[in-house]
Amino acid sequence: MARPCVTSCSTVKLVHSGKVRDVYADGDDLILVASDRVSVYDVVLPTPIPDKGKLLTALSLWWFEQLADLVPNHVLSATDVPEEFAGRAIRCRRLEILPVEWIARGYLAGLGWESYQATNTISGVQFPPGLLEGSQLPRPVFTPSTKTDPADGHDEHINEDQVAALVGADVTKKLGELTVELYSRGAEIARERGVIIADTKFEFGRAADGSLLLADEVLTPDSSRFWRVEDWKPGQRQNAFDKQFVRDWARDLGWWDKTPPGPEVPPEVVDETRRRYVDIYERLTGLRWA
């Protein structure tokens, strides 16, 4: 049973403000708050996307339920949060987040596509020649990355040996396999609903008792690439129903050099981004977004 909301904003303390999420401490727990901010190329844009934080929170909670039999997660409550954050916050267990982005890929896109073009590999994993942008891979694969510097936030592909040096060989094997299993479960559920999950990233953390839990957000338009089955066509840029839509808009401007400050997002791009987030939420969950 969900705990009633008894927390007020005055009792929590901001401990970290990220590009798009804020983390508050409340006793032994953390409150993870998703904002309406949007970042592309590691730059926060000045224009928010209405309802983005609530959509990502609701979709993450739905996915946590779908995946609960595969791995425990950090969620304690979606209702016992400050009233000011209602709908876009989750009360979570405190974890030591592992310094790896646990990425699974089923299709070639984004940085994975760029790496494949250059070397036919991603994170040390060899792929067959002749694949196109958007091609489905022979099987889902684990292609991890980490941050070159926590201050600059840029991702860097690493191989499994490098992951093992960071978190240990046993954890690497266990979570690498789990990453692919979680992606495969999510991709199967999504495909039944007319959605392709091209790739996604997970985060895991270690609890005080040593157990490993799924953390952060899960299979959202900010952490995944979503394509509609009817739109998918290898060999071209895909019609993105995720943050890639904003990335593509920013890249196509031609004049922005991907450094702060970011450009203002025009109303038509804001509206279309929100529409695509809503579309994916409704397709996946079968629920109507009010």
Side-chain angles (χ1 to χ4, degrees):
M1 178 181 295
R3 294 191 290 181
C5 182
V6 296
T7 309
S8 71
C9 206
S10 61
T11 67
V12 301
K13 178 182 178 182
L14 180 67
V15 295
H16 176 71
S17 184
K19 290 192 291 289
V20 297
R21 284 186 296 280
D22 301 317
V23 182
Y24 293 81
D26 184 24
D28 294 333
D29 305 336
L30 294 178
I31 308 291
L32 184 65
V33 182
S35 75
D36 290 342
R37 301 189 295 270
V38 62
S39 72
V40 295
Y41 304 111
D42 297 311
V43 176
V44 178
L45 302 182
T47 316
I49 307 297
D51 286 338
K52 176 175 175 284
K54 290 184 177 181
L55 281 158
L56 298 189
T57 298
L59 188 55
S60 283
L61 289 167
W62 186 84
W63 278 117
F64 278 127
E65 290 184 2
Q66 311 308 308
L67 305 174
D69 63 313
L70 299 181
V71 60
N73 59 66
H74 68 164
V75 177
L76 292 173
S77 174
T79 56
D80 185 9
V81 298
E83 184 178 355
E84 294 87 343
F85 303 148
R88 58 190 178 96
I90 303 173
R91 178 177 292 274
C92 308
R93 292 180 64 179
R94 285 181 182 263
L95 303 176
E96 177 191 352
I97 300 297
L98 301 181
V100 175
E101 291 197 336
W102 304 82
I103 298 172
R105 300 180 187 275
Y107 296 76
L108 274 180
L111 293 177
W113 167 240
E114 292 177 13
S115 179
Y116 171 80
Q117 286 181 292
T119 65
N120 271 19
T121 67
I122 309 173
S123 297
V125 180
Q126 186 76 38
F127 295 96
L131 297 177
L132 304 174
E133 181 176 8
S135 287
Q136 185 173 14
L137 300 175
R139 69 185 189 285
V141 291
F142 170 49
T143 58
S145 73
T146 188
K147 304 291 187 184
T148 55
D149 182 340
D152 67 25
H154 294 292
D155 297 344
E156 181 180 76
H157 291 300
I158 54 177
N159 59 39
E160 290 196 36
D161 289 340
Q162 291 170 297
V163 177
L166 292 170
V167 301
D170 290 345
V171 171
T172 299
K173 183 176 187 301
K174 177 179 180 179
L175 294 186
E177 292 174 352
L178 180 59
T179 294
V180 172
E181 187 176 11
L182 290 168
Y183 166 79
S184 298
R185 168 74 67 82
E188 180 181 3
I189 292 171
R191 189 83 188 206
E192 293 170 351
R193 292 157 169 79
V195 177
I196 291 172
I197 303 178
D199 55 39
T200 194
K201 64 180 179 180
F202 299 104
E203 288 203 31
F204 297 96
R206 194 186 304 276
D209 62 4
S211 59
L212 294 168
L213 279 68
L214 183 61
D216 200 55
E217 62 180 320
V218 178
L219 293 167
T220 73
D222 270 20
S223 65
S224 316
R225 283 187 174 84
F226 292 119
W227 306 331
R228 299 189 306 188
V229 170
E230 64 264 30
D231 295 335
W232 176 55
K233 186 177 180 181
Q236 63 183 32
R237 183 192 296 182
Q238 304 302 312
N239 188 16
F241 279 70
D242 52 67
K243 193 169 69 171
Q244 188 64 40
F245 178 75
V246 186
R247 287 195 198 98
D248 290 344
W249 164 81
R251 181 177 61 184
D252 291 345
L253 289 173
W255 55 264
W256 182 46
D257 62 1
K258 302 177 184 177
T259 62
E264 292 278 354
V265 185
E268 63 272 16
V269 175
V270 170
D271 291 345
E272 181 62 15
T273 302
R274 181 187 180 279
R275 186 189 71 80
R276 292 179 181 228
Y277 275 43
V278 169
D279 181 281
I280 285 298
Y281 171 83
E282 293 185 341
R283 282 178 177 243
L284 289 173
T285 66
L287 302 172
R288 179 80 173 173
W289 184 258

